[in-house]
Amino acid sequence: MMILEEISTSLIMWFFYPLIPCLLIDGAAVLPAPQNLSVQSINMKHLLMWSPVTMPGEITHYSVEYQGEYESLYRSHVWIPSSRCSPTEVPECDVTDDITATVPYNLRVRATLGSQNSAWNTLMHPFNRNSTFLTPPGMEVTKDGFYLVIKLEDLGPQFEFLVAYWKREPGAKEHVKTVRSRGVPVHLETMEPGTVYCVKAQTFVKAIGRYSAFSQAECIEVQEESLPLVLALIAFAGFMLILVVVLLSIWKMGQLLRYSCCPAVVLPDTLKITSSPQKLISCRREEVEACAMTVLPAEELFRTGASRLREVPDEAEQPGLCDTGAVRGKGCASVFLQGQKK
C-alpha cells in the first residue's frame, strides 16, 4: 500500500507541476511591483531607489520611466523611458540627465522577470530638483610663495563657489570672491609675512537659486623667512655674471671677425718713418744754412748769386732750392747779409 501511495503521489505531482505556470496567467499578480520608491538628491545628483523584487534563482530586471510637466500638460501624459535605466538589474537609477528643468517630475518603476511584468509603481510625490541638498564644497588651502591659493572640488558645470577669506586679527575685513573654475588652483590674495589667513567657501546653483552652508574655515600662515631674499640676491649676482660673460664673448668675437675680415697691413722697416716729418724738415733747413754760412765766402757769394740770378730768374723765386749750387748763393747770401747787418 505504501508503495502504491508513493507512486500515485509522484504521478499527480508529475502531472500538475507543468500546469502551475499556466494557472498563473496574470504576470502582475505573480510578480509584485517594486515598493518604497524614493529620490535621494545631493548636489544636483538625483538617484531614484526602491525595494528589490526577489525571486529565488531568478534575476529581476527593472524599467524606469519619467514624466515632466511638459509631457503631463501638453503630450497627453506620455511617459518617457529613462536614458540610463531601461532596463537595469540594480534597484536604483540615476535620473540626473532626465530631470533637466526645475519643475515637478513623476517617476515610476516596474519589475520584469522573463516574459512577466509587474504593475507600475509611481513615486508618491512628484520630485522637483530645487529640493536637492547642497553641501559645502571640499577645498584645499595652500600657499604659493606669498600668494594665498585655494583649490575647490569639481561638483559640475552648474555650480559656482563663493569664497570668503580674511586675516585672523581683531577688526579684520572679510573679503568675498566668486570662483567658477573647478579643480584648478586660484590665487586669492598676496599674503603679508607673519600673518594668519582663514578661508571658507559655499556652493551656489544658479538654476535653482540656492546656496549651501559655508564650509569649516581653514587657516594658514606665512612665516617671515629670509631665504627668498637670499635667493633673489644669488639670482641677481648670477644674472650679472652671465651678462658680463656674454658681453666679453661678444667683444672677443668682434675682435676675431675684425682681424679675420680686415687684417692689419704691416710695413717693412725700410718704409717706416721713425721721426716726425716736421723734425726732418727743420733739421734739413739747419744743415743747408750751416753749409751756406761755412762754405761760401762773401765776395764769391755776391758774384755767383748775381750771375746765376740773371741766367735763371724764375728758379730763384722758387722755395726749397737752397740745396742747389745755382740758387744756394742767393738764399745763403741773404742769410749772411742779415747776419752781418746785425
Side-chain angles (χ1 to χ4, degrees), residues 229-245:
L229 180 59
V230 174
L231 293 177
L233 293 176
I234 294 175
F236 178 75
F239 172 76
M240 294 303 296
L241 180 61
I242 293 174
L243 182 61
V244 171
V245 172

Side-chain angles (χ1 to χ4, degrees), residues 13-217:
M13 292 181 65
W14 179 82
F15 178 76
F16 282 102
Y17 185 80
L19 297 178
I20 291 176
C22 298
L23 296 176
L24 302 177
I25 298 174
D26 190 357
V30 174
L31 193 63
Q35 302 296 318
N36 303 320
L37 273 66
S38 63
V39 177
Q40 182 181 8
S41 179
I42 301 175
N43 291 333
M44 300 296 286
K45 301 292 184 182
H46 318 303
L47 188 66
L48 176 65
M49 298 183 297
W50 57 88
S51 299
V53 177
T54 58
M55 299 296 292
E58 300 290 342
I59 298 177
T60 306
H61 294 81
Y62 305 94
S63 299
V64 178
E65 294 181 348
Y66 67 93
Q67 182 186 83
E69 187 179 53
Y70 177 78
E71 291 79 14
S72 177
L73 296 178
Y74 304 104
R75 296 189 61 186
S76 303
H77 300 276
V78 66
W79 290 86
I80 302 174
S82 174
S83 58
R84 291 190 177 185
C85 311
S86 292
T88 180
E89 296 180 2
V90 294
E92 63 183 27
C93 176
D94 186 354
V95 294
T96 302
D97 295 338
D98 302 322
I99 299 176
T100 57
T102 311
V103 296
Y105 280 80
N106 293 314
L107 299 167
R108 68 180 187 178
V109 184
R110 75 175 179 183
T112 301
L113 183 61
S115 60
Q116 301 177 14
N117 295 323
S118 72
W120 289 99
N121 192 5
T122 306
L123 188 67
M124 185 175 295
H125 301 288
F127 171 74
N128 195 319
R129 68 179 184 178
N130 62 6
S131 63
T132 187
F133 179 73
L134 298 178
T135 62
M139 65 178 185
E140 180 182 357
V141 180
T142 57
K143 59 181 178 179
D144 182 9
F146 287 97
Y147 289 101
L148 180 62
V149 180
I150 185 172
K151 183 178 180 181
L152 295 164
E153 177 185 6
D154 186 3
L155 296 177
Q158 302 183 48
F159 285 79
E160 297 179 2
F161 304 95
L162 271 69
V163 180
Y165 58 96
W166 65 94
K167 298 178 183 179
R168 195 173 65 181
E169 58 186 19
K173 182 181 178 181
E174 183 177 280
H175 303 275
V176 179
K177 184 175 184 179
T178 301
V179 178
R180 293 180 176 85
S181 57
R182 304 170 301 276
V184 178
V186 178
H187 288 184
L188 295 178
E189 184 175 312
T190 302
M191 304 173 66
E192 298 178 3
T195 305
V196 179
Y197 286 80
C198 296
V199 183
K200 63 181 180 180
Q202 68 176 168
T203 57
F204 171 67
V205 181
K206 187 177 182 179
I208 61 176
R210 290 185 53 207
Y211 295 86
S212 72
F214 272 102
S215 62
Q216 292 291 329

